[in-house]
Amino acid sequence: MNSDQIKTGPDKAAQRSLIKAMGYSNEEIKRPIIGIAASYNELIPGHIYLDKIADAVKAGIYMAGGTPMLFNTIGVCDGIAMGHEGMKYSLITREIVADSVEAVCKAYQFDGLVIIPNCDKIIPGMLMAAARVNIPTVMISGGPMLSGGTKKRKIDLSHVFEAVGAFNAGKITEDELCWVENKACPGAGSCSGMFTANSMNCLAESLGIALPGNGTIPAVKGERMILAKHAGMAIMNLVAKDIKARDMMAKSSFRNALAVDMALGCSTNTALHIPAIAHEAGIELSLALINEVSDETPHLVSLRPAGLHHMEDFDDAGGVQVVIAELAKKGLFNTDLITATGNTFKQNIANVENLDTEVIRPIETPHHPIGGLAALFGNIAPEGSVVKQSAVAEKMLVHSGPAKVFNSEDDAVAAMKAGKIVKGDVVVIRYEGPKGGPGMREMLVPTATIVGMGLGSDVALITDGRFSGATSGAAIGHVSKEAAEGGPIAALRDGDIIEINIPKKSLNVRLSDEEIAKRLKEVKMPDKKYTGALGRYQKLVTSASTGAVLE
């Protein structure tokens, strides 16, 4: 691909005429043309200012001798879509974003690409497109939101969901709930803990396709705008050196990303998105690799919801590059790979310094000797499931208890509000997977309700759906095969004893294989047929264990 296809030679006079109609001069047309894929909108706090980020990127491109061309993609805020049918439409936007960026890049034959996402599905969608089109690419996100509350009591979005559960349980007043609602999200940016958006923004740094600081510099700082200008300049350097997206996102890059994922205790959603991005780069990753990397990678950073710190604290301590440097000390990160700076990781981290060893633990004194995520396998999840083990209470790492089985998130939440969930229970929510949902809804409402009721250290939850990055507790998602595809989770009944052993990476029900097979033959699948975007997605989507990519 190169922009000569739309601008060079007598045969391209019509194309040049159309470009000039938009006000581009001959001088601009002759320069390398850089596509800017932004997801600015007035729907998402992390995106409401991305027009300003795009302007800064344009300035950087012009300063470095290129011509920017801006286009937009869609975006959905998971927090706003949470708890109703809108959440079915969240994950599917990942593929829509990827398709739209790919389509525009191919149609315009850009010389380079800058992607500007900031929230959950938009980040992996744009990275998937970058892997597909494989031209020089730099990612610059909008950056994280500051934490809310007061100096003595810092809070964030997950506290609001938990406060709703506490209010419904009669533990706080409506005035207290209102205070949390008004203080938790103080302004623009991606929600301020190590939730999915910030997880993916940090992992983009570890993949090398985003500049140092991308994952952590707060949205409201002038430093974020400076980074955006540098991204505009960096893309021109990559174009000059012909460093393409897949040069940065090689196979060992994804192992690097998983190592940082484990060190940061990232969202379980990364177990969907990292394999999906790798798939577009022609690389297949298995859930088993999560355990392989996790077992050798210590957990160094504990941010909300697992810990007390927020993204601004992580940034003040030095951010992702410090974590990379710590991992490199033990040979857990390949620093020889090329990055969006045009240099290797080894060059990028040469002068980094850990400025707060409470926020970023030295590799010799980690929070945990193993990583933040684990993949669990067993007769409930033969293809695997995922848990954020760094956010699980010690006593729940090994747990057995009776199943309370629900065929939808809505039924489970209603039971919780009615006081039907008690200590020791294992809540099972099924038919919420990629096909069964369809769309694999996040389960922040039920998990936050459990925490708000004071049962976060006493109740486990398993689902073939997924969880928000703001989830804490013994919440096990991505159970595969999912119920809608005849997975064993469809055979579970109330009272079955579920056995969870996170250290041994196992998830089982105390039933024989013969009993499970017998029950599955008797299962009547819910009749969920959809048209439009959900209908197409339901027909084409694959298992969560392979990233829920489309066939």
Side-chain angles (χ1 to χ4, degrees):
M1 280 175 57
N2 69 76
S3 62
D4 286 342
Q5 300 296 319
I6 65 166
K7 70 182 186 184
T8 301
D11 291 345
K12 305 301 178 185
Q15 284 92 331
R16 289 195 299 274
S17 182
L18 290 167
I19 294 170
K20 289 176 180 179
M22 295 181 282
Y24 292 95
S25 66
N26 279 325
E27 291 78 9
E28 289 171 298
I29 293 171
K30 288 176 183 176
R31 296 172 178 175
I33 295 179
I34 309 300
I36 301 176
S39 49
Y40 163 73
N41 59 48
E42 297 179 353
L43 304 171
I44 309 173
H47 291 225
I48 192 136
Y49 59 102
L50 293 190
D51 56 334
K52 305 298 189 298
I53 296 289
D55 287 343
V57 170
K58 287 182 191 177
I61 291 170
Y62 273 123
M63 282 191 283
T67 297
M69 285 188 168
L70 173 68
F71 64 100
N72 258 49
T73 71
I74 65 165
V76 166
C77 176
D78 283 12
I80 296 172
M82 195 81 66
H84 58 89
E85 69 169 346
M87 183 46 72
K88 294 179 183 292
Y89 287 84
S90 172
L91 184 58
I92 76 170
T93 63
R94 187 185 73 179
E95 320 309 313
I96 295 170
V97 167
D99 289 349
S100 63
V101 174
E102 175 195 4
V104 174
C105 287
K106 291 292 188 181
Y108 279 75
Q109 296 287 297
F110 296 128
D111 297 297
L113 175 67
V114 178
I115 52 177
I116 311 177
N118 205 34
C119 290
D120 297 29
K121 309 307 139 342
I122 302 96
I123 301 163
M126 287 195 180
L127 289 171
M128 289 163 70
R132 288 181 195 173
V133 299
N134 195 31
I135 59 176
T137 304
V138 175
M139 173 179 151
I140 169 68
S141 73
M145 183 186 293
L146 295 175
S147 58
T150 65
K151 189 174 183 178
K152 292 184 177 180
R153 185 189 173 190
K154 287 189 174 184
I155 60 173
D156 53 62
L157 179 66
S158 63
H159 288 99
V160 188
F161 283 97
E162 291 167 9
V164 171
F167 173 75
N168 288 330
K171 293 180 178 291
I172 63 172
T173 66
E174 189 171 356
D175 285 344
E176 289 172 312
L177 174 61
C178 187
W179 183 88
V180 175
E181 173 188 331
N182 290 336
K183 295 291 186 179
C185 299
S190 49
C191 298
S192 58
M194 190 52 75
F195 311 143
T196 305
N198 291 325
S199 294
M200 292 306 303
N201 280 331
C202 289
L203 295 187
E205 266 191 69
S206 66
L207 283 170
I209 202 166
L211 298 178
N214 176 78
T216 59
I217 297 172
V220 297
K221 284 192 174 182
E223 193 180 351
R224 173 61 57 176
M225 290 299 173
I226 294 170
L227 189 71
K229 290 175 184 176
H230 285 162
M233 291 184 270
I235 189 60
M236 297 307 298
N237 181 45
L238 296 187
V239 169
K241 293 182 175 180
D242 195 31
I243 298 172
K244 297 182 173 68
R246 291 194 195 180
D247 295 329
M248 293 176 278
M249 295 194 292
K251 187 169 185 177
S252 53
S253 304
F254 289 97
R255 191 180 184 96
N256 276 350
L258 285 175
V260 172
D261 191 336
M262 300 309 149
L264 297 182
C266 289
S267 162
T268 53
N269 281 314
T270 60
L272 275 181
H273 300 320
I274 294 299
I277 299 163
H279 175 77
E280 299 296 349
I283 299 162
E284 299 306 316
L285 300 181
S286 69
L287 282 183
L289 182 60
I290 287 177
N291 288 340
E292 183 182 324
V293 176
S294 183
D295 286 346
E296 67 181 18
T297 308
H299 177 214
L300 305 180
V301 179
S302 186
L303 304 184
R304 284 283 303 161
L308 298 176
H309 297 115
H310 288 87
M311 290 303 295
E312 67 260 34
D313 304 313
F314 184 28
D315 185 62
D316 289 342
V320 175
Q321 299 300 307
V322 172
V323 173
I324 291 172
E326 290 293 338
L327 294 176
K329 290 178 182 177
K330 300 288 187 180
L332 298 174
F333 192 100
N334 182 350
T335 59
D336 293 327
L337 301 176
I338 197 70
T339 75
T341 65
N343 297 322
T344 64
F345 284 105
K346 185 180 294 183
Q347 293 168 303
N348 291 347
I349 65 173
N351 297 309
V352 301
E353 181 183 355
N354 188 343
L355 300 175
D356 190 334
T357 56
E358 281 301 307
V359 176
I360 305 175
R361 292 280 185 90
I363 199 162
E364 297 82 8
T365 56
H367 289 283
H368 304 99
I370 58 174
L373 298 186
L376 311 184
F377 297 84
N379 65 0
I380 296 176
E383 293 181 3
S385 60
V386 182
V387 62
K388 189 171 184 175
Q389 61 184 351
S390 60
V392 179
E394 186 76 23
K395 71 175 185 177
M396 292 297 289
L397 291 172
V398 178
H399 176 76
S400 63
K404 294 281 182 69
V405 182
F406 304 93
N407 287 343
S408 73
E409 175 189 8
D410 310 278
D411 290 348
V413 172
M416 291 172 188
K417 290 181 178 179
K420 295 181 179 179
I421 305 303
V422 298
K423 287 184 177 183
D425 283 346
V426 178
V427 177
V428 177
I429 305 177
R430 62 191 179 192
Y431 298 107
E432 291 285 8
K435 284 185 181 293
M440 205 177 183
R441 289 197 284 182
E442 287 188 343
M443 302 288 166
L444 182 56
V445 172
T447 56
T449 300
I450 288 171
V451 172
M453 293 168 63
L455 296 174
S457 298
D458 299 288
V459 170
L461 193 156
I462 68 172
T463 179
D464 53 9
R466 61 194 178 92
F467 295 110
S468 164
T471 292
S472 61
I476 301 164
H478 307 195
V479 171
S480 303
K481 290 184 175 180
E482 62 174 293
E485 289 195 304
I489 191 172
L492 300 182
R493 297 175 182 171
D494 283 349
D496 288 341
I497 301 301
I498 307 295
E499 298 176 331
I500 299 165
N501 193 318
I502 294 174
K504 291 187 176 179
K505 311 296 192 292
S506 66
L507 176 63
N508 291 287
V509 59
R510 206 176 289 170
L511 294 173
S512 67
D513 292 344
E514 291 76 17
E515 177 63 18
I516 292 173
K518 177 187 172 186
R519 288 188 186 184
L520 286 175
K521 289 179 182 178
E522 299 169 356
V523 168
K524 290 186 178 180
M525 297 289 176
D527 185 19
K528 290 185 176 181
K529 287 186 170 59
Y530 292 83
T531 57
L534 278 181
R536 287 192 297 274
Y537 186 85
Q538 191 173 41
K539 289 176 184 176
L540 298 175
V541 72
T542 60
S543 172
S545 63
T546 55
V549 296
L550 301 187
E551 290 180 329

